[in-house]
């Protein structure tokens, strides 16, 4: 998934790899992407998460892989990242945008603010489908399904891919690309269900 995202954003040739020295992982979780990107590019990577438990686990894992000199994690709000303008050559957000309540005025604006001139912003996130011409909203059955998903996973309101593109265009960013990978990632969910329907999986669910 990480490599495909880098290929899609054309951050996979030797020149680009040498140019990327500073990376930020926005909504880093326990830091899997951060460690991979730091190792791949030999770059300094900072991950931010609102969870102290995730930040501690991420730092512990990085120490265990002897990456503490390259990767660090801290508790910070993605809507108010504690970084100066234009700091990072690569701004990375892997499946965290769907958790952001204010995608327009804050989340996307802040990603653009901390990106260095000529840098790359990669956002991989859950979206609902683009509306067709003449449509003003999703169909009622679609909205009902989306509401169930958001309730289950504690998500705020979503937006479409075209909404993200419009937001990025409004900030005068260049070379904006988008794609729908839902067919590729749909196989993930049956795998999750199969994992949960084991004795270990059921025990973990009950314990949590």
């Amino acid at each position: 998934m990480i490599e495909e995202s880098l290929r899609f954003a054309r951050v996979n040739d030797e020149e680009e790899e040498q140019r990327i020295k500073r990376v930020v992982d926005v909504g880093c979780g326990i830091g899997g992407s951060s460690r991979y990107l730091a190792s791949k590019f030999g770059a300094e990577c900072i991950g931010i998460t609102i969870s102290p438990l995730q930040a501690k686990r991420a730092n512990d894992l990085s120490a265990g892989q002897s990456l503490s000199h390259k990767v660090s994690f801290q508790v910070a709000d993605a809507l108010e990242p504690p970084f100066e303008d234009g700091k990072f050559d690569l701004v990375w957000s892997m499946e965290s945008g769907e958790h952001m309540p204010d995608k327009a005025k804050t989340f996307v604006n802040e990603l653009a603010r901390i990106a260095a001139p000529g840098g790359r912003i990669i956002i991989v996130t859950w979206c609902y489908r683009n509306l067709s011409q003449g449509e003003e909203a999703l169909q009622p059955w679609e909205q009902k399904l989306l509401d169930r998903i958001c309730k289950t996973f504690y998500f705020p309101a979503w937006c479409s891919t075209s909404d993200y593109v419009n937001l990025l265009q409004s900030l005068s960013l260049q070379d904006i690309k988008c794609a729908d990978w839902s067919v590729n990632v749909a196989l993930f969910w049956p795998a999750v269900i199969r994992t949960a329907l084991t004795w270990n999986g059921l025990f973990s669910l009950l314990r949590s």
Side-chain angles (χ1 to χ4, degrees):
M1 185 70 160
I2 295 173
E3 283 294 338
E4 188 62 28
S5 300
L6 294 171
R7 279 192 292 271
F8 183 78
R10 295 197 293 273
V11 189
N12 60 336
D13 59 36
E14 186 175 347
E15 181 179 347
E16 280 290 328
E17 290 187 7
Q18 291 177 351
R19 193 181 61 78
I20 293 176
K21 302 300 181 186
R22 294 169 299 181
V23 180
V24 62
D25 185 355
V26 179
C28 61
I30 59 172
S33 292
S34 299
R35 287 184 290 277
Y36 188 95
L37 294 169
S39 298
K40 178 179 179 65
F41 296 118
E44 172 195 354
C45 187
I46 301 174
I48 61 172
T49 172
I50 60 171
S51 167
L53 291 175
Q54 285 185 342
K56 182 181 184 307
R57 180 64 174 151
N59 281 314
D60 289 346
L61 287 169
S62 299
Q65 297 178 28
S66 301
L67 287 172
S68 295
H69 65 296
K70 282 290 187 181
V71 188
S72 63
F73 302 91
Q74 63 190 72
V75 177
D77 188 346
L79 302 182
E80 296 181 6
F83 308 116
E84 63 266 27
D85 296 359
K87 180 177 177 65
F88 297 101
D89 306 306
L90 175 59
V91 177
W92 177 270
S93 173
M94 172 63 75
E95 293 190 315
S96 64
E98 59 270 19
H99 296 278
M100 307 301 170
D102 187 354
K103 295 173 178 59
K105 294 181 180 179
T106 310
F107 176 57
V108 173
N109 275 274
E110 287 299 297
L111 297 186
R113 181 185 67 78
I114 61 178
R120 290 283 197 274
I121 301 171
I122 299 179
I123 304 171
V124 181
T125 187
W126 298 15
C127 297
Y128 61 73
R129 68 171 177 83
N130 291 332
L131 299 179
S132 301
Q133 186 173 1
E135 282 188 309
E136 296 184 359
L138 293 172
Q139 297 297 313
W141 70 268
E142 293 175 317
Q143 187 61 55
K144 183 177 180 180
L145 178 58
L146 181 58
D147 290 343
R148 289 176 59 195
I149 293 171
C150 291
K151 181 179 180 180
T152 300
F153 291 97
Y154 299 97
F155 287 135
W158 285 13
C159 62
S160 68
T161 306
S162 61
D163 291 331
Y164 269 106
V165 170
N166 291 335
L167 290 171
L168 295 165
Q169 289 175 338
S170 72
L171 299 172
S172 299
L173 300 182
Q174 299 177 354
D175 192 23
I176 300 169
K177 297 173 59 182
C178 65
D180 179 358
W181 291 357
S182 56
V183 171
N184 304 84
V185 299
L187 298 175
F188 173 73
W189 294 107
V192 170
I193 294 171
R194 287 195 300 271
T195 301
L197 296 179
T198 63
W199 285 115
N200 285 338
L202 291 171
F203 177 73
S204 297
L205 287 171
L206 288 171
R207 186 176 58 181
S208 64

